[in-house]
């Protein structure tokens, strides 16, 4: 299952914020920001920190992409 954080990056652009600003507001490490940047999975505590800092919900910062692998 792939996850996309494009909505988060767009929200930061719309709010004229940098990833560094988000890291400071949500108390996130650069490692976590890099995981988000790569589209890696992060735990729900991390997503909750982001949502509290940005006053938004999970569906406003991420989306689960359909699985593109074929199943036999």
């Amino acid at each position: 299952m792939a996850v996309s954080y494009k909505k988060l990056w767009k929200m930061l652009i719309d709010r004229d914020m940098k990833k560094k600003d988000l890291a400071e507001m949500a108390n996130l490490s650069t490692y976590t920001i890099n995981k988000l940047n790569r589209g890696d999975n992060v735990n729900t505590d991390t997503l909750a920190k982001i949502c509290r800092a940005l006053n938004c919900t999970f569906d406003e910062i991420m989306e689960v992409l359909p699985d593109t692998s074929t199943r036999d």
Side-chain angles (χ1 to χ4, degrees), residues 12-35:
L12 292 183
I13 291 168
D14 291 345
R15 295 182 183 197
D16 196 28
M17 292 176 63
K18 297 182 187 312
K19 293 174 186 175
K20 181 179 177 180
D21 299 329
L22 174 63
E24 291 173 3
M25 285 178 64
N27 195 26
L28 302 174
S29 67
T30 54
Y31 175 74
T32 301
I33 295 293
N34 288 335
K35 282 183 74 170

Side-chain angles (χ1 to χ4, degrees), residues 7-71:
K7 289 180 174 185
L8 172 60
W9 309 134
K10 181 173 180 342
M11 182 181 288
L12 292 183
I13 291 168
D14 291 345
R15 295 182 183 197
D16 196 28
M17 292 176 63
K18 297 182 187 312
K19 293 174 186 175
K20 181 179 177 180
D21 299 329
L22 174 63
E24 291 173 3
M25 285 178 64
N27 195 26
L28 302 174
S29 67
T30 54
Y31 175 74
T32 301
I33 295 293
N34 288 335
K35 282 183 74 170
L36 291 163
N37 205 36
R38 291 189 306 266
D40 293 346
N41 292 328
V42 295
N43 65 40
T44 53
D45 290 338
T46 299
L47 296 174
K49 283 181 181 181
I50 294 169
C51 288
R52 278 193 296 272
L54 298 176
N55 193 29
C56 62
T57 60
F58 284 179
D59 65 326
E60 292 177 296
I61 62 167
M62 64 172 284
E63 64 181 327
V64 178
L65 303 174
D67 192 4
T68 57
S69 64
T70 57
R71 295 185 181 190

